DNA sequence: TTGAAAGCGTTACCAA
DNA sequence: TTGGTAACGCTTTCAA
């Protein structure tokens, strides 16, 4: 591989000059620039990005930590992020944290050891304290789907409470009064907020929240399955079910069908997230849109602006969910 | 950040010695090793991986090019790969090629410019010739889901023909005789092979392949939808539908339902790939399992063995599909 | 506008 | 078993 040294020799200029035309930075005369460019072409020169990183103290890489590489939620987020960075010549290094505090921490350390210029973190289990401490290090990072007051400006979040409210309101508007709710694990802030939104809507409609119609799941399909089974066995009847995410809604629909419940005639169901497979369920699942792709893009923009000093779109940290009404919610008879 | 130099000073040894204990390579006396380790600890020393890369001419990074970061297929593959590498201290840089020749090529060049030690490529549009030429460069790579005779030892593939055969046989065993087929784009080898397997099964059952019951889709959901619509309008009746992947099967099921066709009573459907959402369809989709996670892992193992000289599991390049019988295929009445 | 030279933080070779 | 020192391929002052 040709080096900058060979280019400079062939072009009859100094290293510094070659470096300048590469970064088309300083003032280089047209004539010189041409000579250098020609030499590069002739040698098929490609700058060594590692050497550039070492000399400039900038690796042009950003670390991305997600809970899972698979599953419907993170794909669109990664996609938005990769896109934004690649067009700017930055690359993204991925790691999975598996919603486990220790593995998340290992992931972060791994990414740091890779000399990333910045981090995008979708972490769930790691403590606020750890992140606050981390923010005192020199490595910049942005948080997706997590709000820590001390780090407010780098938290890109969804208004989960509003989402929960919209879901419940949609159900309530269809005349349902006996509504079951399967939540996410309540140690997670988003699960809490979605539930809070639900309660808010209930209050608005002068309905009481009924513990007997509540089940705490873990955001995974199977807990929707188990949750529904349990709720169904309770003496309380209900005509609608709100699930705090689409995966649990899918699990619930599966068991409902096994129990020979007609959907949506006998039971209206609504999910949350609007992952792509909600289009594949039958009936098509009504849900709340989580603009995760855009939020990923925004995280990338934040870093482009704050770390790489690029001009980007105006930064935004709070995103709004919207209702996606499909066919799984119908008016009560 | 502490450097190796400060460590050497604090420990009272040379740079070389510190480097040795880091790579716990050469013969270092216990006493010296201890001193150095203590010094590292005291300074909170972390090696600079960029400098290591430059000096050792090894970036410890491998590039991963997939068609899409989102969608159900690539997640499990990326997951298998990331896992295998991280446990070995390698990191993976991702890029998307979007099934477009030019973007795939740009992706490869981008990854090369990042000084990856090796590449894992899931490319569809780029030509064999390009890849053969690339193989003459010094950068090693392995191909997933693509077979090029000249590069046979680095092609990790599925026996797609067998898969197509299994799918059709499953349908045939249930007594169906009028079978429609929605294929992938036939410029893709996997689409061809799956179709060939279908024809093979047909022959075995002494049935003719009927052009009127064939539609060429593009592996995307909507082409399943459109394909079914068209097939259904043709005068030929059919009792079973084979789709060359699960996404198209989902699209087909959606329109079938719109047309008030009872599934699976009036129409049996089988897909291909066994992506996770096949569990969410109704009826649950029978399909052919594509062990993409394992194949990703194997690609990683190949690189670990051939590029990083690690001992791994025995290498395997050809994988076998298996039938996953669920509820979308029933015997003809 | 250009060049010389000192880094950047390691590894790896050659001596001792 | 250790140390000295030249790479690795660039960027970035500082001078000219």
């Amino acid at each position: 591989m040709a080096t900058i040294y060979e280019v400079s020799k062939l072009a009859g200029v100094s290293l510094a000059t070659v470096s300048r035309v590469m970064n088309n930075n300083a003032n280089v005369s047209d004539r010189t620039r041409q000579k250098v460019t020609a030499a590069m072409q002739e040698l098929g020169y490609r700058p060594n990005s590692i050497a550039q990183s070492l000399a400039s103290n900038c690796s042009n890489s950003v670390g991305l930590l997600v809970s899972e590489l698979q599953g419907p939620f993170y794909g669109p987020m990664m996609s938005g992020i990769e896109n934004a960075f690649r067009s700017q010549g930055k690359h993204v290094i991925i790691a999975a944290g598996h919603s486990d505090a220790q593995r998340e921490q290992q992931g972060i350390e791994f990414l740091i050891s890779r000399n990333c210029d910045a981090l995008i973190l979708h972490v769930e289990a790691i403590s606020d304290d750890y992140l606050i401490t981390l923010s005192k290090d020199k490595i910049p990072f942005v948080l997706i789907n997590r709000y820590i007051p001390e780090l407010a400006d780098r938290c890109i979040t969804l208004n989960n409470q509003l989402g929960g409210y919209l879901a419940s309101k949609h159900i309530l508007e269809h005349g349902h009064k006996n509504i079951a709710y399967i939540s996410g694990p309540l140690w997670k802030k988003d699960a809490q907020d979605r539930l809070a939104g639900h309660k808010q809507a209930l209050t608005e409609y002068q309905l009481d929240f009924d513990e007997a119609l509540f089940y705490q799941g873990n955001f995974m399909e199977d807990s929707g399955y188990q949750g529904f089974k349990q709720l169904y066995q309770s003496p309380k009847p209900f005509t609608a079910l709100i699930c705090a995410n689409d995966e649990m809604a899918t699990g619930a629909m599966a068991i409902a069908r096994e129990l020979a419940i007609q959907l949506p005639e006998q039971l209206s169901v609504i999910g949350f997230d609007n992952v792509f497979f909600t289009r594949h369920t039958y009936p098509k699942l009504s849900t709340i849109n989580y603009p995760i792709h855009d939020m990923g893009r925004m995280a990338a923009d934040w870093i482009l602006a704050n770390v790489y000093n690029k001009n980007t779109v105006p930064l935004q940290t709070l995103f709004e969910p919207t209702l996606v009404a499909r066919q799984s919610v119908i008016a009560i008879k």
Side-chain angles (χ1 to χ4, degrees), chain A residues 23-25 58 60 62 84-91 117 297-315:
Chain A
N23 304 302
N24 45 271
N25 260 353
C58 166
N60 286 310
V62 352
F85 283 126
R86 178 125 75 95
S87 66
Q88 301 293 326
K90 316 296 175 197
H91 65 263
D117 296 329
R297 239 215 106 85
M298 184 55 64
D301 283 334
W302 190 98
I303 286 173
L304 254 11
N306 289 289
V307 178
Y308 295 116
N309 303 311
K310 303 261 181 191
N311 292 322
T312 61
V313 296
L315 265 22

Side-chain angles (χ1 to χ4, degrees), chain A residues 82-251:
Chain A
E82 192 261 348
N83 242 287
F85 283 126
R86 178 125 75 95
S87 66
Q88 301 293 326
K90 316 296 175 197
H91 65 263
V92 2
I93 299 178
I94 50 166
H98 304 283
S99 306
D100 172 86
Q102 193 185 337
R103 296 174 78 178
E104 287 179 351
Q105 186 173 338
Q106 283 170 354
I108 292 174
E109 280 162 11
F110 177 76
L111 259 12
I112 292 177
S113 81
R114 263 31 225 186
N115 289 79
C116 294
D117 296 329
L119 263 27
I120 296 179
L121 271 18
H122 186 295
V123 286
E124 310 190 286
I126 217 164
S127 71
D128 282 12
D129 282 347
Y130 179 89
L131 293 168
I132 292 173
T133 307
L134 183 64
S135 73
K136 276 148 193 156
D137 278 21
K138 85 162 201 288
I139 188 159
F141 63 87
V142 10
L143 260 18
I144 293 189
N145 194 37
R146 176 142 182 176
Y147 185 78
I148 301 179
E150 291 87 338
L151 271 25
D153 61 315
R154 16 169 132 184
C155 294
I156 297 189
T157 54
L158 182 78
N159 188 337
N160 277 298
Q161 176 160 354
L162 175 59
Y165 172 80
L166 290 175
S168 298
K169 189 162 166 239
H170 184 61
I171 293 286
L172 290 162
E173 281 170 344
H174 281 80
H176 296 273
K177 303 225 179 304
N178 298 296
I179 304 170
Y181 191 98
I182 299 182
S183 83
L186 290 177
W187 59 269
K188 293 192 185 178
K189 191 65 168 31
D190 48 3
Q192 286 170 30
D193 290 347
R194 292 173 188 189
L195 180 58
H198 170 58
K199 290 183 174 170
Q200 177 192 341
L202 244 30
T203 304
E204 207 167 273
Y205 276 71
Q206 283 146 17
L207 256 28
D208 285 329
F209 175 75
D210 188 343
E211 282 289 346
L213 292 179
F214 175 81
Y215 179 88
Q216 182 177 165
N218 63 4
F219 278 147
M220 310 223 283
E221 185 183 356
D222 189 59
S223 75
Y225 189 98
Q226 302 300 339
F228 186 84
K229 201 145 96 177
Q230 181 168 323
L231 290 168
Y232 191 67
Q233 282 162 358
S234 94
K236 280 272 183 187
F238 52 92
T239 60
L241 170 67
I242 299 174
C243 293
N245 79 351
D246 294 332
E247 314 229 8
M248 295 193 297
T250 310

Side-chain angles (χ1 to χ4, degrees), chain A residues 2-50:
Chain A
T3 70
I4 195 177
Y5 180 75
E6 302 170 47
V7 174
S8 80
K9 211 154 111 184
L10 181 59
V13 298
S14 72
L15 292 189
T17 302
V18 178
S19 178
R20 285 189 192 102
V21 349
M22 280 179 47
N23 304 302
N24 45 271
N25 260 353
N27 329 4
V28 182
S29 74
D30 273 3
R31 168 134 184 65
T32 308
R33 185 180 301 276
Q34 248 164 31
K35 279 195 303 189
V36 173
T37 317
M40 286 178 168
Q41 207 101 48
E42 188 175 334
L43 294 170
Y45 171 75
R46 306 248 154 246
N48 178 321
S49 64
I50 302 273

